[in-house]
Amino acid sequence: MPQRFHSAIRLLHWTMALLILAMLFIGVGMVSTAGPAYASLVALHRPIGIAILFLALIRLAIRLRTGAPPLPADLPRLQQHAARGAHILLYLAMIGMPLIGWAMLSAGGYPVRLSAAWSLPPILPQDLLAYGLLRRAHTLFAFAFFALILGHLTIALVHGFIRRDGVLETMLFARMRAALPDEEEETGQALSADLAEEPAEALAP
Amino acid sequence: MPTSHPSLATLTAIAAAPVLLLSGFAWAGGWVGPSRIGGGTIANAIEHSAGKHEGYRRAHAKGICVTGYFDASGDAAGLSRARLFAPGRYPVLGRFSTGGGNPFATDGRNVFHALGLQLTGPDGQIWRMAMDHTPIFPVATPDAFVALQRASRPDPATGKPDPAAMKAYLARHPETKVYQDYIAAAPLPDSFANGTYYSINAFRFVDRAGASHAVRWAFEPAAAFGALDKAKLDGLPTDYLFTELRARLVKGPQRWRMTVTVAAPGDVTNNATIAWPADRQRIKAGTLTLTAAVPEENGACRDITFDPTILPDGIALSDDPLLPARSAAYSSSFRRRALETPGPSAVGKALAGREVR
């Protein structure tokens, strides 16, 4: 049994994976349309964003207390550093994106409305240029965040199905046959089966 | 420890995950698949027909900030649980404007006179509205709006829209012809202060029990009506309406009564080109009083959008497709002008010129 992330971290990871992907899709989707979906998507975007901020802060606190399982000793030093850097960037994005959104709405003089009766206070004074810059940053960082997630997902799958070094398992709940060594012949088949059976898990970061 | 001979199937499956996500993302963002009308499409269509005026609102570019208050009568509190309808006085920020994308266009045009308002309730909740002086709108959908903008583009040679393009558009959109006939015949107010301003779209008021009521509303002026002579619009001073409003407010506050019209069953709520019959139930929700006007560069109205979908609890969107479209388009316009340097307003420029002299 490999060492894993704390179970609360694993739970948060997969919950947030779904929320963040949904959020990125909602974000680009709402900006693309002036149709009836626009208002509903904007109304979803704000509360989900704040939920992600809240969960990310909880997760960061747990992560700082419980640490992370060590990466395999044979992983090159450069890759170990890259992994650490990417994970810091992911945390920065999870916390930074909602804060930028919140600050941007504040600067634009928009109410930060989470539900019919519940709004958040502004965190920045109203300022047109600040709105413009934050609005642009929100889009650019969203694309960077999505690219980071795709990279994170691809590398996690490489660990799980090519290196089969137990790194992917540190974020899973069950042992994964395909991720274990000594099943080389079935690797390809096992992965296809996993993707077909558990698309949500396989597709999330 | 690493297994160094992954099968082609493994590699394909691993690559498929990010590729699928990326494809889904491209579809969600509208970069692949059928083309969509977004807020940016609408802003582009306006820039296409009115020209691009950097630093200004893409529509209703010429405006002036106003301030005042709203005295709620309490009579609408049975229809909507919005705290703004409980008897009391609530602060108002507003903006009068004329239609079109040119911030220095002359007031001698038979176009929308508009009033944007922001009411702030006792609970801090904000209600924004963007109203025009006509009870109906030229188009019912964002698609028609974009098509109308494209058909209205002045031909660089003649300075007039291409008659063939407009004819083709009107053949497909008789509702726009109805509007054009209406605005050609309707008297054009000779002051911002004596115009009636209509919500254009239908909304829903939600009462304490959670029941929803389809409504439209209008702000009806206390000032006596007077009309501009449409035959002499060319001779009107460029900033006539704005100058007149400032002079009038110096003399005293201006008032409008807010009248809420409640739909009868069967009244359309998803088509702003169709007015409701005149005999519908009307409720006097309160009185708007405007006390001061300042140029946009000194006022608080320039750096917000009068997005009519910003509503307090107790007021909700109807099924009118123009509402999300207006929100998306205002947002695009706001995003663009926020990164451009705001230029002087027509009123500010005129005042600065007078001081120099």
Side-chain angles (χ1 to χ4, degrees):
Chain A
M1 183 76 184
Q3 206 185 333
R4 299 176 192 264
F5 279 96
H6 190 278
S7 58
I9 293 276
R10 280 178 278 149
L11 186 66
L12 281 166
H13 173 274
W14 292 106
T15 308
M16 293 181 69
L18 287 178
L19 286 176
I20 290 168
L21 281 177
M23 196 59 175
L24 288 164
F25 279 63
I26 289 171
V28 293
M30 71 190 200
V31 173
S32 78
T33 180
Y38 176 81
S40 332
L41 292 175
V42 174
L44 271 177
H45 196 77
R46 284 182 300 242
I48 296 179
I50 295 299
I52 290 170
L53 174 63
F54 184 70
L55 294 177
L57 291 172
I58 292 174
R59 181 168 160 193
L60 180 63
I62 299 174
R63 172 73 172 72
L64 291 175
R65 283 176 68 96
T66 60
L71 288 168
D74 65 339
L75 199 66
R77 175 69 67 84
L78 187 67
Q79 287 187 33
Q80 305 230 8
H81 286 311
R84 189 170 170 75
H87 293 155
I88 291 172
L89 285 178
L90 283 164
Y91 268 94
L92 276 176
M94 290 188 289
I95 294 167
M97 278 296 286
L99 282 177
I100 291 173
W102 187 355
M104 159 195 122
L105 291 179
S106 307
Y110 286 101
V112 189
R113 201 175 183 211
L114 300 186
S115 71
W118 192 29
S119 294
L120 291 176
I123 52 171
L124 267 195
Q126 208 183 315
D127 185 279
L128 187 64
L129 181 61
Y131 169 79
L133 294 171
L134 288 164
R135 178 64 189 76
R136 178 155 290 179
H138 199 62
T139 302
L140 295 177
F141 291 170
F143 290 134
F145 193 6
F146 187 61
L148 200 59
I149 288 170
L150 292 184
H152 175 71
L153 163 68
T154 310
I155 290 168
L157 292 175
V158 166
H159 278 291
F161 298 96
I162 295 179
R163 281 185 57 98
R164 291 191 273 162
D165 54 9
V167 169
L168 178 58
E169 280 198 295
T170 62
M171 201 46 102
L172 300 181
F173 292 92
R175 278 169 76 86
M176 201 176 55
R177 276 179 0 108
L180 296 174
D182 306 318
E183 289 182 28
E184 270 172 85
E185 289 167 11
E186 289 177 31
T187 302
Q189 270 187 330
L191 173 61
S192 312
D194 274 358
L195 278 175
E197 281 164 23
E198 296 182 68
E201 199 165 309
L203 292 181
Chain B
M1 187 175 176
T3 307
S4 50
H5 304 293
S7 68
L8 187 62
T10 307
L11 290 175
T12 309
I14 287 176
V19 167
L20 278 175
L21 271 181
L22 195 59
S23 315
F25 192 69
W27 174 81
W31 296 291
V32 296
S35 80
R36 279 176 216 171
I37 289 187
T41 322
I42 298 173
N44 287 343
I46 295 172
E47 287 177 3
H48 176 80
S49 76
K52 190 173 176 183
H53 299 275
E54 290 207 355
Y56 298 91
R57 280 171 164 79
R58 290 326 192 235
H60 289 261
K62 186 179 186 182
I64 187 168
C65 297
V66 286
T67 48
Y69 47 86
F70 178 70
D71 290 306
S73 66
D75 291 354
L79 278 180
S80 165
R81 63 176 180 239
R83 297 277 302 275
L84 276 159
F85 286 131
R89 176 169 288 189
Y90 311 114
V92 168
L93 165 67
R95 181 175 184 270
F96 279 109
S97 63
T98 47
N102 177 358
F104 299 105
T106 174
D107 291 352
R109 293 170 299 142
N110 190 18
V111 294
F112 282 134
H113 295 182
L115 174 59
L117 290 180
Q118 168 179 285
L119 278 57
T120 305
D123 49 1
Q125 288 204 37
I126 283 174
W127 183 7
R128 294 204 183 134
M129 37 185 120
M131 303 177 289
D132 291 317
H133 85 283
T134 60
I136 53 170
F137 202 64
V139 294
T141 64
D143 304 51
F145 184 86
V146 168
L148 176 58
Q149 291 300 320
R150 288 178 182 157
S152 312
R153 184 189 197 188
D155 185 323
T158 63
K160 294 241 158 78
D162 173 8
M166 183 53 83
K167 199 177 163 194
Y169 168 84
L170 289 175
R172 276 176 286 124
H173 293 283
E175 72 278 11
T176 305
K177 184 74 175 66
V178 171
Y179 170 85
Q180 288 179 345
D181 292 344
Y182 169 84
I183 197 162
L188 184 63
D190 64 2
S191 168
F192 281 129
N194 64 19
T196 300
Y197 299 93
Y198 298 88
S199 65
I200 300 292
N201 309 106
F203 290 80
R204 289 182 298 122
F205 278 5
V206 182
D207 65 24
R208 277 191 189 78
S212 113
H213 312 272
V215 297
R216 281 173 169 170
W217 60 80
F219 282 77
E220 296 163 342
F225 187 77
L228 289 173
D229 183 348
K230 286 188 188 171
K232 295 179 181 161
L233 285 180
D234 284 349
L236 202 71
T238 302
D239 302 324
Y240 176 81
L241 292 170
F242 292 87
T243 311
E244 196 275 344
L245 176 74
R246 295 184 70 250
R248 211 185 263 246
L249 282 170
V250 167
K251 284 184 213 146
Q254 298 297 312
R255 294 194 168 79
W256 287 259
R257 189 169 66 197
M258 182 185 187
T259 305
V260 175
T261 304
V262 185
D267 286 347
V268 290
T269 53
N270 64 354
N271 190 332
T273 67
I274 298 172
W276 291 344
D279 63 353
R280 295 294 180 254
Q281 181 195 1
R282 283 161 195 263
I283 288 161
K284 292 167 193 159
T287 306
L288 168 71
T289 305
L290 296 179
T291 53
V294 292
E296 286 193 286
E297 41 274 71
N298 308 326
C301 76
R302 188 190 67 192
D303 296 349
I304 60 170
T305 65
F306 289 93
D307 176 340
T309 68
I310 296 178
L311 303 166
D313 182 38
I315 303 172
L317 299 178
S318 68
D319 56 351
D320 188 332
L322 283 184
L323 283 170
R326 290 175 80 183
S327 182
Y330 292 17
S331 174
S332 281
S333 160
F334 192 43
R335 198 184 323 157
R336 291 178 189 191
R337 69 189 174 91
L339 283 176
E340 302 158 356
T341 309
S345 70
V347 181
K349 221 173 173 177
L351 285 174
R354 203 171 304 161
E355 273 159 30
V356 169
R357 264 177 258 141

Coordinates of all heavy atoms in Angstrom, one line a residue, chain B residues 63-116:
Chain B
G63 N -23.9 61.0 -22.8 CA -24.7 61.0 -21.6 C -24.2 62.0 -20.5 O -23.2 62.7 -20.7
I64 N -25.0 62.1 -19.5 CA -24.7 63.0 -18.4 C -25.2 62.3 -17.1 O -26.2 61.6 -17.1 CB -25.4 64.4 -18.6 CG1 -25.0 65.4 -17.5 CG2 -27.0 64.2 -18.6 CD1 -25.4 66.8 -17.8
C65 N -24.5 62.5 -16.0 CA -24.8 61.8 -14.7 C -25.8 62.7 -13.9 O -25.8 63.9 -14.0 CB -23.6 61.7 -13.8 SG -22.3 60.6 -14.5
V66 N -26.7 62.0 -13.3 CA -27.7 62.7 -12.4 C -27.8 62.0 -11.1 O -27.4 60.8 -11.0 CB -29.1 62.7 -13.1 CG1 -29.2 63.7 -14.2 CG2 -29.6 61.4 -13.5
T67 N -28.2 62.7 -10.1 CA -28.4 62.1 -8.7 C -29.7 62.6 -8.1 O -30.2 63.6 -8.6 CB -27.2 62.5 -7.8 OG1 -27.1 63.9 -7.8 CG2 -25.9 61.8 -8.1
G68 N -30.2 61.8 -7.2 CA -31.4 62.2 -6.6 C -31.9 61.0 -5.6 O -31.0 60.4 -5.0
Y69 N -33.2 60.8 -5.5 CA -33.7 59.8 -4.6 C -35.0 59.3 -5.1 O -35.7 59.9 -5.9 CB -33.8 60.4 -3.2 CG -34.5 61.7 -3.1 CD1 -35.9 61.8 -3.0 CD2 -33.7 62.9 -3.1 CE1 -36.5 63.0 -3.0 CE2 -34.3 64.1 -3.1 CZ -35.7 64.2 -3.0 OH -36.4 65.4 -3.0
F70 N -35.3 58.1 -4.5 CA -36.6 57.5 -4.9 C -37.4 57.3 -3.6 O -36.9 56.8 -2.6 CB -36.3 56.1 -5.5 CG -37.6 55.3 -5.8 CD1 -38.4 55.7 -6.8 CD2 -37.9 54.1 -5.1 CE1 -39.6 54.9 -7.1 CE2 -39.1 53.4 -5.4 CZ -39.9 53.8 -6.4
D71 N -38.6 57.9 -3.6 CA -39.5 57.7 -2.5 C -40.5 56.6 -2.8 O -41.4 56.8 -3.6 CB -40.3 59.0 -2.2 CG -39.4 60.1 -1.7 OD1 -38.7 59.9 -0.7 OD2 -39.3 61.2 -2.3
A72 N -40.4 55.5 -2.1 CA -41.3 54.4 -2.4 C -42.6 54.6 -1.6 O -42.6 55.0 -0.4 CB -40.7 53.1 -1.9
S73 N -43.7 54.4 -2.3 CA -45.0 54.6 -1.7 C -45.4 53.5 -0.8 O -46.3 53.6 0.1 CB -46.1 54.8 -2.8 OG -46.2 53.6 -3.5
G74 N -44.9 52.3 -1.1 CA -45.3 51.1 -0.4 C -46.3 50.3 -1.1 O -46.6 49.2 -0.8
D75 N -46.9 50.9 -2.2 CA -48.0 50.3 -2.9 C -47.6 49.1 -3.7 O -48.4 48.2 -4.1 CB -48.7 51.3 -3.8 CG -49.5 52.3 -3.1 OD1 -49.6 52.2 -1.8 OD2 -50.0 53.3 -3.7
A76 N -46.3 49.0 -4.1 CA -45.8 47.9 -4.9 C -45.3 46.7 -4.0 O -44.9 45.7 -4.5 CB -44.7 48.3 -5.8
A77 N -45.3 47.0 -2.7 CA -44.7 46.0 -1.7 C -45.4 44.7 -1.7 O -44.9 43.6 -1.4 CB -44.6 46.6 -0.3
G78 N -46.7 44.8 -2.1 CA -47.5 43.5 -2.2 C -47.1 42.7 -3.4 O -47.3 41.4 -3.4
L79 N -46.6 43.3 -4.4 CA -46.2 42.6 -5.6 C -44.7 42.0 -5.6 O -44.4 41.0 -6.2 CB -46.3 43.5 -6.8 CG -47.6 43.7 -7.5 CD1 -47.4 44.7 -8.6 CD2 -48.2 42.4 -8.0
S80 N -43.9 42.8 -4.9 CA -42.5 42.5 -4.8 C -42.0 42.6 -3.4 O -42.3 43.6 -2.7 CB -41.7 43.3 -5.8 OG -40.3 43.2 -5.4
R81 N -41.2 41.6 -3.0 CA -40.6 41.7 -1.6 C -39.3 42.6 -1.6 O -38.7 42.7 -0.6 CB -40.4 40.4 -1.1 CG -39.3 39.6 -1.8 CD -39.1 38.2 -1.2 NE -38.1 37.5 -1.9 CZ -38.3 36.3 -2.5 NH1 -39.5 35.7 -2.3 NH2 -37.4 35.6 -3.2
A82 N -38.9 43.2 -2.7 CA -37.7 44.0 -2.8 C -37.9 45.1 -1.7 O -38.9 45.8 -1.6 CB -37.6 44.7 -4.1
R83 N -36.8 45.3 -0.9 CA -36.9 46.2 0.2 C -37.1 47.7 -0.3 O -37.5 48.5 0.4 CB -35.6 46.1 1.1 CG -35.4 44.8 1.7 CD -36.2 44.6 3.0 NE -35.8 45.7 4.0 CZ -34.8 45.6 4.8 NH1 -34.0 44.5 4.8 NH2 -34.6 46.5 5.7
L84 N -36.7 47.9 -1.6 CA -36.8 49.2 -2.2 C -38.3 49.6 -2.3 O -38.5 50.8 -2.6 CB -36.2 49.2 -3.6 CG -34.7 49.4 -3.6 CD1 -34.1 48.8 -4.9 CD2 -34.4 50.9 -3.5
F85 N -39.2 48.7 -2.2 CA -40.6 49.1 -2.4 C -41.3 49.3 -1.0 O -42.4 49.8 -1.0 CB -41.4 48.0 -3.1 CG -41.1 48.0 -4.6 CD1 -40.7 46.9 -5.3 CD2 -41.1 49.2 -5.3 CE1 -40.4 46.9 -6.7 CE2 -40.8 49.3 -6.7 CZ -40.5 48.1 -7.3
A86 N -40.6 49.1 0.1 CA -41.1 49.4 1.4 C -41.0 50.9 1.5 O -40.1 51.6 1.0 CB -40.3 48.8 2.5
P87 N -42.1 51.6 2.1 CA -42.1 53.0 2.2 C -40.7 53.6 2.7 O -40.2 53.0 3.7 CB -43.2 53.4 3.1 CG -44.1 52.2 3.1 CD -43.2 51.0 2.8
G88 N -40.2 54.6 2.0 CA -38.9 55.1 2.5 C -38.2 55.8 1.3 O -38.7 55.8 0.2
R89 N -37.1 56.5 1.6 CA -36.4 57.3 0.6 C -35.0 56.6 0.4 O -34.3 56.3 1.3 CB -36.2 58.7 1.1 CG -35.4 59.6 0.2 CD -35.4 61.0 0.5 NE -36.8 61.6 0.2 CZ -37.0 62.9 0.2 NH1 -36.1 63.8 0.6 NH2 -38.2 63.3 -0.1
Y90 N -34.7 56.3 -0.9 CA -33.5 55.5 -1.2 C -32.7 56.3 -2.2 O -33.3 56.9 -3.2 CB -33.9 54.1 -1.7 CG -34.9 53.5 -0.8 CD1 -36.2 53.2 -1.2 CD2 -34.6 53.1 0.5 CE1 -37.1 52.6 -0.4 CE2 -35.5 52.6 1.4 CZ -36.8 52.3 0.9 OH -37.7 51.7 1.8
P91 N -31.4 56.3 -2.1 CA -30.5 57.1 -3.0 C -30.6 56.6 -4.4 O -30.7 55.4 -4.7 CB -29.1 57.0 -2.4 CG -29.2 55.8 -1.5 CD -30.6 55.6 -1.1
V92 N -30.4 57.5 -5.4 CA -30.5 57.2 -6.8 C -29.3 57.8 -7.5 O -28.9 59.0 -7.3 CB -31.8 57.7 -7.4 CG1 -31.7 57.6 -9.0 CG2 -33.0 56.9 -7.0
L93 N -28.6 57.0 -8.4 CA -27.6 57.5 -9.3 C -28.2 57.2 -10.7 O -28.8 56.2 -10.9 CB -26.3 56.8 -9.1 CG -25.2 56.9 -10.1 CD1 -24.7 58.3 -10.2 CD2 -24.1 55.9 -9.9
G94 N -28.0 58.2 -11.6 CA -28.6 57.9 -12.9 C -27.8 58.5 -14.0 O -26.8 59.2 -13.8
R95 N -28.3 58.2 -15.2 CA -27.6 58.8 -16.4 C -28.6 59.0 -17.5 O -29.3 58.0 -17.9 CB -26.5 57.8 -16.9 CG -25.7 58.3 -18.1 CD -24.6 57.3 -18.4 NE -23.8 57.7 -19.5 CZ -24.0 57.4 -20.8 NH1 -25.0 56.6 -21.1 NH2 -23.2 57.8 -21.7
F96 N -28.7 60.2 -18.0 CA -29.5 60.5 -19.2 C -28.6 60.3 -20.4 O -27.4 60.7 -20.3 CB -30.1 61.9 -19.2 CG -31.3 62.1 -18.3 CD1 -31.3 62.8 -17.1 CD2 -32.5 61.5 -18.7 CE1 -32.4 62.9 -16.3 CE2 -33.7 61.7 -18.0 CZ -33.6 62.4 -16.8
S97 N -29.2 59.8 -21.5 CA -28.4 59.7 -22.7 C -29.2 59.7 -23.9 O -30.5 59.6 -23.8 CB -27.6 58.3 -22.7 OG -28.5 57.3 -22.7
T98 N -28.6 59.9 -25.0 CA -29.3 59.8 -26.3 C -28.7 58.6 -27.0 O -27.6 58.2 -26.8 CB -29.0 61.0 -27.2 OG1 -27.6 61.3 -27.2 CG2 -29.8 62.2 -26.7
G99 N -29.5 58.0 -27.9 CA -29.2 56.7 -28.6 C -28.0 57.0 -29.5 O -27.7 58.1 -30.0
G100 N -27.3 55.8 -29.8 CA -26.2 55.9 -30.8 C -24.9 55.7 -30.2 O -24.7 55.9 -29.0
G101 N -23.9 55.5 -31.0 CA -22.5 55.2 -30.5 C -21.6 56.3 -30.6 O -20.5 56.3 -30.1
N102 N -22.1 57.5 -31.1 CA -21.2 58.7 -31.2 C -21.4 59.6 -30.0 O -22.5 60.2 -29.8 CB -21.5 59.4 -32.5 CG -20.7 60.7 -32.7 OD1 -19.9 61.1 -31.8 ND2 -20.9 61.4 -33.8
P103 N -20.3 59.8 -29.2 CA -20.5 60.6 -27.9 C -20.7 62.1 -28.2 O -21.0 62.8 -27.2 CB -19.2 60.3 -27.2 CG -18.2 59.8 -28.2 CD -19.0 59.2 -29.3
F104 N -20.5 62.5 -29.4 CA -20.6 63.9 -29.7 C -21.7 64.2 -30.8 O -21.7 65.3 -31.4 CB -19.3 64.5 -30.1 CG -18.2 64.3 -29.1 CD1 -17.2 63.4 -29.2 CD2 -18.3 65.1 -27.9 CE1 -16.3 63.2 -28.2 CE2 -17.3 65.0 -26.9 CZ -16.3 64.0 -27.1
A105 N -22.6 63.2 -30.9 CA -23.6 63.4 -31.9 C -24.5 64.5 -31.5 O -24.7 64.9 -30.3 CB -24.4 62.1 -32.1
T106 N -25.2 65.1 -32.5 CA -26.1 66.2 -32.1 C -27.4 65.7 -31.5 O -27.8 64.6 -31.7 CB -26.5 67.0 -33.4 OG1 -27.5 68.0 -33.0 CG2 -27.1 66.1 -34.5
D107 N -28.0 66.5 -30.7 CA -29.3 66.1 -30.0 C -30.4 66.2 -31.0 O -31.5 65.8 -30.7 CB -29.5 67.0 -28.8 CG -28.5 66.7 -27.7 OD1 -27.8 65.7 -27.8 OD2 -28.5 67.4 -26.7
G108 N -30.2 66.8 -32.1 CA -31.3 67.0 -33.1 C -31.5 65.7 -34.0 O -31.4 65.7 -35.2
R109 N -31.7 64.6 -33.3 CA -31.9 63.4 -34.0 C -33.2 62.7 -33.4 O -33.4 62.8 -32.2 CB -30.7 62.4 -33.8 CG -29.5 62.9 -34.5 CD -28.3 62.0 -34.1 NE -28.1 62.1 -32.6 CZ -27.7 61.1 -31.9 NH1 -27.6 59.9 -32.4 NH2 -27.6 61.3 -30.6
N110 N -33.9 62.0 -34.2 CA -35.1 61.3 -33.7 C -34.7 60.0 -33.2 O -34.9 58.9 -33.8 CB -36.2 61.2 -34.8 CG -37.5 60.7 -34.3 OD1 -37.8 60.8 -33.1 ND2 -38.3 60.2 -35.2
V111 N -34.0 60.0 -32.0 CA -33.5 58.7 -31.5 C -34.0 58.5 -30.0 O -34.6 59.4 -29.5 CB -31.9 58.7 -31.5 CG1 -31.4 58.7 -32.9 CG2 -31.4 59.9 -30.7
F112 N -33.6 57.4 -29.5 CA -33.9 57.2 -28.1 C -33.4 58.3 -27.2 O -32.2 58.7 -27.2 CB -33.2 55.9 -27.6 CG -33.9 54.6 -28.0 CD1 -33.1 53.6 -28.5 CD2 -35.2 54.4 -27.9 CE1 -33.7 52.4 -28.9 CE2 -35.8 53.2 -28.2 CZ -35.1 52.2 -28.7
H113 N -34.3 58.8 -26.3 CA -33.8 59.5 -25.1 C -33.9 58.4 -24.0 O -34.9 57.7 -23.8 CB -34.8 60.6 -24.7 CG -34.8 61.7 -25.8 ND1 -35.6 62.8 -25.7 CD2 -34.1 61.8 -27.0 CE1 -35.3 63.6 -26.7 NE2 -34.5 63.0 -27.5
A114 N -32.8 58.3 -23.2 CA -32.8 57.2 -22.3 C -32.4 57.6 -20.9 O -31.8 58.6 -20.7 CB -31.8 56.1 -22.8
L115 N -32.9 56.8 -20.0 CA -32.5 57.0 -18.6 C -32.1 55.7 -17.9 O -32.8 54.7 -17.9 CB -33.8 57.6 -17.8 CG -33.6 57.8 -16.3 CD1 -32.5 58.8 -16.0 CD2 -34.9 58.3 -15.7
G116 N -30.8 55.7 -17.4 CA -30.3 54.6 -16.7 C -30.4 55.0 -15.2 O -30.2 56.1 -14.8

